[in-house]
Amino acid sequence: MTEGANFTLRDEIKAYWSARAATFDLSPGHEIFSEEERAAWHALFERHLGKGQGRKALDLASGTGVISHLMDDLGYQVTGIDWSEAMLERARAKAATRGRIIRFHLGDAENTHEADNSYDVIVTRHLVWTLVDPDACFREWLRVLKPGGKLLVIDGDFVNTGLAERFVKRLAALLELGGLVQPQAHHAPQSMAGTHESILSRVHFARGARAEEVSRLIEKAGFDKVTTDTDMRQIHKTQAAHFGFFKAVARGLQHRYAIVAHKPAADFASGSSLEGS
């Protein structure tokens, strides 16, 4: 996608996800398709963030509001930010239909324009792998969090595949070609596959967003108590029925993770200790 010298990689990413908005919620792994999956996501959030109890949560790259709704379920006061107006239109409509009070607005994860020390938690799902400048993003997220606040990053390495995953995908392709299994549904237009690959080749994590490298950059930005949870089995198990056998197996073999990090409670400017909300 080229529209002149001023059309940057960030513009391409924005345009790509705007074009994906119409079918985004049709894909398992994006929208929630069962109460069992909803409960599995709730369990992950409670394990790392606890119940909301009215605390303020920022959902970055909120898309159609899937994660925002899960956080709202748990009692968080949620704001969702996305830089695709097409995604936000669907998020607002979904909130209105469900009677949810969730604030959605247009914004950039790298420059949120939110006030300093204003959120108790920040959540992102499948955002980090697309970042052009993760160092700037992580510093921005640290600024926006309250002292003692938590960051939860849910992401994965969607570039590198292990031998087992490659075998499963190859076997599935051969069986589909032979007519022995039904082809998997693709909700992203095949015409956009080249755009996706082009974008992926130029983002910061073009070689794969490995948990250890993402954690290192989060720590570099000033976060502490950074830990990685790779146990996503319950979520994958609840999604399996909607993926089909081979895609479900392949997904379970991927390097997917949840990273949780804390903003230090110390006020570096004064050296005093502040309590997080």
Side-chain angles (χ1 to χ4, degrees):
M1 297 175 66
T2 57
E3 297 183 15
N6 292 327
F7 197 77
T8 66
L9 174 57
R10 287 162 59 81
D11 292 320
E12 288 188 48
I13 296 170
K14 178 179 179 179
Y16 173 81
W17 288 112
S18 293
R20 290 285 310 275
T23 58
F24 187 84
D25 281 343
L26 298 178
S27 300
H30 290 171
E31 181 56 282
I32 307 299
F33 283 82
S34 70
E35 290 307 309
E36 290 77 17
E37 182 182 355
R38 190 179 309 280
W41 281 108
H42 287 162
L44 177 71
F45 293 142
E46 287 192 55
R47 182 159 74 244
H48 295 300
L49 303 175
K51 292 280 191 181
Q53 298 178 324
R55 290 184 295 155
K56 294 181 65 178
L58 181 62
D59 177 15
L60 289 170
S62 54
T64 63
V66 177
I67 299 302
S68 294
H69 280 263
L70 291 169
M71 298 295 285
D72 183 75
D73 291 342
L74 295 176
Y76 286 90
Q77 181 183 340
V78 185
T79 296
I81 293 179
D82 201 280
W83 62 0
S84 166
E85 187 58 48
M87 287 285 191
L88 290 170
E89 288 174 3
R90 286 160 176 79
R92 294 179 187 121
K94 190 184 298 183
T97 299
R98 295 178 179 176
R100 303 296 186 91
I101 302 174
I102 303 174
R103 176 175 170 253
F104 292 104
H105 67 87
L106 196 66
D108 182 353
E110 191 173 307
N111 186 17
T112 65
H113 295 290
E114 298 288 331
D116 292 355
N117 308 316
S118 54
Y119 286 92
D120 298 286
V121 302
I122 292 176
V123 180
T124 76
R125 183 179 70 162
H126 302 169
L127 165 63
V128 166
W129 73 270
T130 72
L131 293 177
V132 176
D133 187 352
D135 287 320
C137 277
F138 298 154
R139 289 193 299 269
E140 170 72 354
W141 302 352
L142 186 76
R143 179 189 68 78
V144 169
L145 274 173
K146 295 178 182 179
K150 292 184 179 181
L151 167 68
L152 180 62
V153 169
I154 301 159
D155 227 290
D157 178 359
F158 307 122
V159 176
N160 300 293
T161 56
L163 180 62
E165 184 185 349
R166 291 197 298 272
F167 172 78
V168 169
K169 288 182 174 180
R170 180 59 178 161
L171 177 60
L174 289 172
L175 291 174
E176 286 181 13
L177 188 64
L180 298 176
V181 298
Q182 291 292 321
Q184 293 291 312
H186 296 283
H187 298 296
Q190 290 298 98
S191 61
M192 298 184 68
T195 302
H196 180 274
E197 292 302 317
S198 174
I199 289 171
L200 181 56
S201 71
R202 289 175 289 147
V203 295
H204 179 90
F205 293 110
R207 296 182 179 180
R210 305 298 293 182
E212 55 271 22
E213 176 61 10
V214 175
S215 295
R216 184 187 71 80
L217 293 179
I218 289 173
E219 287 184 331
K220 178 184 172 184
F223 287 90
D224 65 12
K225 302 177 187 175
V226 181
T227 58
T228 301
D229 180 359
T230 58
D231 184 5
M232 310 291 282
R233 289 173 296 178
Q234 192 57 37
I235 291 172
H236 294 156
K237 181 180 178 181
T238 61
Q239 293 172 336
H242 305 282
F243 278 125
F245 176 77
F246 288 104
K247 188 171 182 179
V249 171
R251 191 176 184 86
L253 293 169
Q254 291 172 343
H255 178 65
R256 292 174 178 263
Y257 50 82
I259 297 173
V260 62
H262 298 69
K263 178 172 179 174
D267 179 358
F268 294 113
S270 65
S272 63
S273 178
L274 299 177
E275 291 295 327
S277 296

Coordinates of all heavy atoms in Angstrom, one line a residue, residues 140-196:
E140 N 5.4 5.6 27.4 CA 4.1 6.3 27.5 C 3.1 5.6 28.5 O 2.4 6.2 29.3 CB 3.5 6.3 26.1 CG 2.0 6.8 26.0 CD 1.8 8.3 26.3 OE1 2.8 9.0 26.7 OE2 0.7 8.8 26.2
W141 N 3.1 4.2 28.4 CA 2.2 3.5 29.3 C 2.6 3.6 30.8 O 1.8 3.7 31.6 CB 2.2 2.0 28.9 CG 1.8 1.8 27.4 CD1 1.3 2.8 26.6 CD2 1.8 0.6 26.7 NE1 1.0 2.2 25.3 CE2 1.4 0.9 25.4 CE3 2.3 -0.7 26.9 CZ2 1.3 0.0 24.3 CZ3 2.2 -1.6 25.9 CH2 1.7 -1.3 24.6
L142 N 3.9 3.7 31.0 CA 4.4 3.9 32.4 C 3.9 5.2 32.9 O 3.5 5.4 34.0 CB 5.9 3.8 32.4 CG 6.6 3.9 33.8 CD1 6.4 2.6 34.5 CD2 8.1 4.3 33.6
R143 N 4.0 6.3 32.0 CA 3.6 7.6 32.4 C 2.1 7.6 32.8 O 1.7 8.3 33.8 CB 3.8 8.6 31.2 CG 3.4 10.0 31.5 CD 3.5 10.9 30.3 NE 2.5 10.5 29.3 CZ 1.2 10.9 29.3 NH1 0.7 11.5 30.3 NH2 0.3 10.5 28.4
V144 N 1.3 7.0 32.0 CA -0.2 7.0 32.2 C -0.6 6.2 33.4 O -1.6 6.5 34.1 CB -0.9 6.5 30.9 CG1 -2.4 6.3 31.2 CG2 -0.7 7.5 29.8
L145 N 0.1 5.2 33.8 CA -0.3 4.3 34.9 C 0.0 5.1 36.3 O 0.9 5.9 36.4 CB 0.5 3.0 35.0 CG 0.0 1.9 34.2 CD1 1.1 0.7 34.2 CD2 -1.3 1.4 34.7
K146 N -0.9 4.8 37.2 CA -0.7 5.3 38.6 C 0.5 4.5 39.2 O 0.8 3.4 38.8 CB -1.9 5.1 39.4 CG -3.2 5.8 39.0 CD -4.3 5.5 39.9 CE -5.6 6.2 39.5 NZ -6.8 5.8 40.3
P147 N 1.2 5.2 40.1 CA 2.3 4.4 40.9 C 1.7 3.2 41.5 O 0.6 3.2 42.1 CB 2.7 5.4 42.0 CG 2.4 6.8 41.4 CD 1.1 6.6 40.6
G148 N 2.3 2.1 41.3 CA 1.8 0.8 41.8 C 0.9 0.1 40.8 O 0.4 -1.0 41.0
G149 N 0.5 0.8 39.7 CA -0.4 0.2 38.7 C 0.2 -0.9 37.9 O 1.4 -1.1 37.9
K150 N -0.6 -1.7 37.2 CA -0.2 -2.8 36.5 C -0.4 -2.7 35.0 O -1.5 -2.2 34.6 CB -0.9 -4.1 37.0 CG -0.5 -4.5 38.5 CD -1.2 -5.8 38.8 CE -0.8 -6.2 40.3 NZ -1.4 -7.5 40.6
L151 N 0.5 -3.3 34.3 CA 0.4 -3.5 32.8 C 0.2 -5.0 32.5 O 1.0 -5.8 33.0 CB 1.6 -2.9 32.1 CG 1.8 -3.3 30.6 CD1 0.8 -2.6 29.8 CD2 3.2 -2.9 30.2
L152 N -0.8 -5.3 31.7 CA -0.9 -6.7 31.2 C -0.9 -6.7 29.7 O -1.7 -6.1 29.1 CB -2.3 -7.3 31.7 CG -2.5 -8.7 31.4 CD1 -1.5 -9.7 31.9 CD2 -3.9 -9.2 31.8
V153 N 0.1 -7.4 29.2 CA 0.3 -7.5 27.7 C 0.0 -9.0 27.3 O 0.7 -9.9 27.8 CB 1.8 -7.2 27.3 CG1 2.0 -7.6 25.9 CG2 2.0 -5.7 27.6
I154 N -1.0 -9.2 26.5 CA -1.3 -10.5 26.0 C -0.9 -10.5 24.5 O -1.4 -9.7 23.7 CB -2.8 -10.8 26.1 CG1 -3.2 -10.7 27.6 CG2 -3.2 -12.2 25.5 CD1 -4.7 -10.5 27.8
D155 N 0.0 -11.4 24.1 CA 0.5 -11.3 22.8 C 1.2 -12.7 22.4 O 1.0 -13.7 23.1 CB 1.5 -10.2 22.6 CG 1.3 -9.4 21.4 OD1 1.5 -9.9 20.2 OD2 0.8 -8.2 21.5
G156 N 2.0 -12.7 21.3 CA 2.6 -13.9 20.9 C 3.6 -13.7 19.8 O 3.7 -12.6 19.2
D157 N 4.4 -14.7 19.5 CA 5.3 -14.7 18.4 C 4.6 -15.3 17.2 O 4.4 -16.5 17.2 CB 6.5 -15.5 18.7 CG 7.5 -15.5 17.6 OD1 7.2 -15.0 16.5 OD2 8.6 -16.1 17.7
F158 N 4.1 -14.5 16.2 CA 3.4 -15.0 15.1 C 4.2 -15.1 13.9 O 3.7 -15.2 12.7 CB 2.2 -14.1 14.9 CG 1.4 -13.8 16.1 CD1 1.1 -12.6 16.6 CD2 0.8 -14.9 16.8 CE1 0.4 -12.4 17.7 CE2 0.1 -14.7 17.9 CZ -0.1 -13.5 18.4
V159 N 5.6 -15.1 14.1 CA 6.5 -15.2 13.0 C 7.2 -16.6 13.0 O 7.2 -17.3 12.0 CB 7.6 -14.1 13.0 CG1 8.6 -14.3 11.9 CG2 6.9 -12.7 12.9
N160 N 7.8 -16.9 14.1 CA 8.5 -18.2 14.2 C 7.6 -19.3 14.5 O 6.8 -19.3 15.5 CB 9.6 -18.0 15.3 CG 10.6 -16.9 15.0 OD1 11.3 -17.0 14.0 ND2 10.5 -15.9 15.8
T161 N 7.7 -20.4 13.8 CA 6.9 -21.6 14.1 C 7.8 -22.8 14.3 O 8.9 -22.9 13.7 CB 6.0 -21.9 12.9 OG1 6.8 -22.1 11.7 CG2 5.0 -20.9 12.6
G162 N 7.5 -23.6 15.4 CA 8.3 -24.7 15.7 C 8.0 -25.9 14.7 O 7.1 -25.8 13.9
L163 N 8.8 -26.9 14.8 CA 8.6 -28.1 13.9 C 7.3 -28.7 14.1 O 6.6 -29.1 13.0 CB 9.7 -29.1 14.3 CG 9.7 -30.4 13.4 CD1 10.0 -30.0 12.0 CD2 10.8 -31.4 14.0
A164 N 6.8 -28.8 15.3 CA 5.5 -29.5 15.5 C 4.3 -28.7 14.9 O 3.4 -29.2 14.2 CB 5.2 -29.7 17.0
E165 N 4.4 -27.3 15.0 CA 3.4 -26.5 14.4 C 3.4 -26.5 12.9 O 2.4 -26.6 12.2 CB 3.5 -25.0 14.9 CG 2.4 -24.1 14.4 CD 2.6 -22.7 14.7 OE1 3.5 -22.4 15.6 OE2 1.9 -21.8 14.2
R166 N 4.6 -26.5 12.3 CA 4.8 -26.6 10.9 C 4.2 -27.9 10.4 O 3.6 -28.0 9.3 CB 6.2 -26.4 10.5 CG 6.8 -25.0 10.7 CD 8.0 -24.8 9.9 NE 9.1 -25.7 10.3 CZ 10.0 -25.4 11.3 NH1 9.8 -24.3 12.0 NH2 10.9 -26.3 11.6
F167 N 4.5 -29.0 11.1 CA 3.9 -30.3 10.7 C 2.4 -30.3 10.7 O 1.8 -30.8 9.7 CB 4.5 -31.4 11.6 CG 3.9 -32.8 11.4 CD1 4.3 -33.6 10.3 CD2 2.8 -33.2 12.2 CE1 3.7 -34.8 10.1 CE2 2.2 -34.5 12.0 CZ 2.7 -35.2 10.9
V168 N 1.8 -29.8 11.7 CA 0.3 -29.8 11.8 C -0.3 -29.0 10.7 O -1.2 -29.4 10.1 CB -0.1 -29.2 13.2 CG1 -1.6 -28.9 13.2 CG2 0.3 -30.2 14.3
K169 N 0.3 -27.8 10.4 CA -0.2 -26.9 9.3 C 0.0 -27.6 8.0 O -0.9 -27.5 7.1 CB 0.5 -25.6 9.4 CG 0.1 -24.7 10.5 CD 0.8 -23.4 10.5 CE 0.3 -22.4 11.6 NZ 0.9 -21.1 11.6
R170 N 1.1 -28.3 7.8 CA 1.3 -28.9 6.5 C 0.4 -30.1 6.3 O -0.2 -30.3 5.2 CB 2.8 -29.4 6.4 CG 3.1 -30.2 5.1 CD 3.0 -29.3 3.9 NE 3.4 -30.0 2.7 CZ 3.0 -29.7 1.5 NH1 2.2 -28.6 1.3 NH2 3.4 -30.3 0.5
L171 N 0.1 -30.9 7.4 CA -0.8 -32.0 7.3 C -2.2 -31.5 7.0 O -2.9 -32.1 6.2 CB -0.8 -32.8 8.6 CG -1.7 -33.9 8.8 CD1 -1.5 -35.0 7.7 CD2 -1.7 -34.6 10.2
A172 N -2.6 -30.4 7.7 CA -3.9 -29.9 7.4 C -4.1 -29.4 6.0 O -5.1 -29.7 5.4 CB -4.2 -28.7 8.4
A173 N -3.1 -28.8 5.4 CA -3.1 -28.3 4.1 C -3.2 -29.5 3.1 O -4.0 -29.4 2.1 CB -1.9 -27.5 3.7
L174 N -2.5 -30.6 3.4 CA -2.6 -31.7 2.5 C -3.9 -32.4 2.6 O -4.5 -32.8 1.5 CB -1.5 -32.7 2.9 CG 0.0 -32.3 2.5 CD1 0.9 -33.3 3.2 CD2 0.2 -32.2 1.0
L175 N -4.5 -32.5 3.7 CA -5.8 -33.1 3.9 C -6.9 -32.3 3.3 O -7.8 -32.8 2.7 CB -6.1 -33.3 5.4 CG -5.2 -34.4 6.1 CD1 -5.5 -34.5 7.6 CD2 -5.5 -35.8 5.4
E176 N -6.8 -30.9 3.4 CA -7.7 -30.1 2.7 C -7.6 -30.2 1.2 O -8.6 -30.3 0.5 CB -7.5 -28.6 3.1 CG -7.9 -28.2 4.5 CD -7.6 -26.8 4.8 OE1 -7.3 -26.0 3.8 OE2 -7.7 -26.4 6.0
L177 N -6.4 -30.3 0.7 CA -6.2 -30.4 -0.8 C -6.8 -31.7 -1.3 O -7.3 -31.8 -2.4 CB -4.7 -30.4 -1.1 CG -4.3 -30.3 -2.5 CD1 -4.8 -29.1 -3.2 CD2 -2.7 -30.4 -2.7
G178 N -6.7 -32.8 -0.5 CA -7.2 -34.1 -0.8 C -8.7 -34.2 -0.6 O -9.3 -35.3 -0.9
G179 N -9.3 -33.2 0.0 CA -10.8 -33.2 0.2 C -11.2 -34.0 1.4 O -12.4 -34.4 1.6
L180 N -10.2 -34.3 2.3 CA -10.5 -35.2 3.4 C -11.0 -34.4 4.6 O -11.6 -35.0 5.5 CB -9.3 -36.0 3.8 CG -8.8 -37.0 2.7 CD1 -7.5 -37.6 3.1 CD2 -9.8 -38.0 2.4
V181 N -10.7 -33.1 4.7 CA -11.2 -32.3 5.7 C -11.7 -31.0 5.1 O -11.3 -30.6 4.0 CB -10.1 -31.9 6.8 CG1 -9.7 -33.2 7.5 CG2 -9.0 -31.2 6.2
Q182 N -12.6 -30.3 5.8 CA -13.1 -29.0 5.3 C -12.1 -27.9 5.4 O -11.4 -27.9 6.4 CB -14.4 -28.6 6.1 CG -15.6 -29.5 5.8 CD -16.1 -29.3 4.4 OE1 -16.1 -28.2 3.8 NE2 -16.5 -30.4 3.8
P183 N -11.9 -27.1 4.4 CA -11.0 -26.0 4.5 C -11.4 -25.0 5.7 O -12.6 -24.9 6.0 CB -11.1 -25.2 3.2 CG -11.7 -26.2 2.3 CD -12.6 -27.1 3.1
Q184 N -10.4 -24.5 6.3 CA -10.6 -23.5 7.4 C -11.2 -22.2 6.9 O -10.8 -21.8 5.8 CB -9.3 -23.2 8.2 CG -8.8 -24.4 8.9 CD -9.7 -24.8 10.1 OE1 -10.1 -24.0 10.9 NE2 -10.0 -26.1 10.2
A185 N -12.1 -21.6 7.6 CA -12.7 -20.3 7.2 C -11.6 -19.3 7.4 O -10.9 -19.3 8.4 CB -13.9 -20.0 8.0
H186 N -11.5 -18.3 6.5 CA -10.6 -17.2 6.6 C -11.5 -15.9 6.6 O -12.0 -15.5 5.6 CB -9.6 -17.2 5.5 CG -8.7 -18.3 5.5 ND1 -7.6 -18.5 6.3 CD2 -8.7 -19.5 4.7 CE1 -7.0 -19.6 6.1 NE2 -7.6 -20.2 5.1
H187 N -11.5 -15.2 7.7 CA -12.4 -14.0 7.8 C -11.6 -12.8 7.4 O -12.2 -11.8 7.1 CB -12.9 -13.9 9.2 CG -13.8 -15.0 9.7 ND1 -15.0 -15.3 9.0 CD2 -13.6 -16.0 10.6 CE1 -15.6 -16.3 9.6 NE2 -14.8 -16.8 10.5
A188 N -10.3 -12.9 7.3 CA -9.5 -11.8 6.7 C -9.4 -12.1 5.2 O -9.1 -13.2 4.8 CB -8.1 -11.8 7.3
P189 N -9.8 -11.1 4.4 CA -9.7 -11.3 3.0 C -8.4 -11.8 2.5 O -7.3 -11.2 2.9 CB -10.1 -9.9 2.4 CG -10.8 -9.2 3.5 CD -10.2 -9.7 4.8
Q190 N -8.4 -12.8 1.7 CA -7.1 -13.3 1.2 C -6.3 -12.2 0.4 O -5.1 -12.3 0.3 CB -7.3 -14.5 0.3 CG -7.8 -15.8 1.0 CD -6.8 -16.2 2.0 OE1 -6.9 -16.0 3.2 NE2 -5.8 -17.0 1.6
S191 N -7.1 -11.3 -0.2 CA -6.4 -10.2 -0.9 C -5.5 -9.3 0.0 O -4.7 -8.6 -0.5 CB -7.5 -9.3 -1.6 OG -8.4 -8.8 -0.7
M192 N -5.8 -9.4 1.3 CA -5.0 -8.6 2.2 C -3.8 -9.3 2.8 O -3.1 -8.7 3.6 CB -5.9 -8.1 3.4 CG -7.1 -7.2 2.9 SD -8.0 -6.6 4.3 CE -6.9 -5.5 5.0
A193 N -3.6 -10.6 2.4 CA -2.5 -11.3 3.0 C -1.2 -10.7 2.7 O -0.3 -10.6 3.6 CB -2.6 -12.8 2.5
G194 N -1.0 -10.2 1.5 CA 0.2 -9.5 1.1 C 0.5 -8.3 1.9 O 1.6 -8.0 2.3
T195 N -0.6 -7.5 2.2 CA -0.4 -6.3 3.0 C 0.0 -6.7 4.4 O 0.9 -6.1 5.0 CB -1.7 -5.6 3.1 OG1 -2.1 -5.2 1.8 CG2 -1.6 -4.3 3.9
H196 N -0.6 -7.7 5.0 CA -0.2 -8.2 6.3 C 1.2 -8.6 6.4 O 2.0 -8.2 7.3 CB -1.1 -9.4 6.7 CG -0.8 -10.0 8.0 ND1 0.1 -10.9 8.3 CD2 -1.4 -9.7 9.3 CE1 0.2 -11.2 9.5 NE2 -0.7 -10.5 10.2

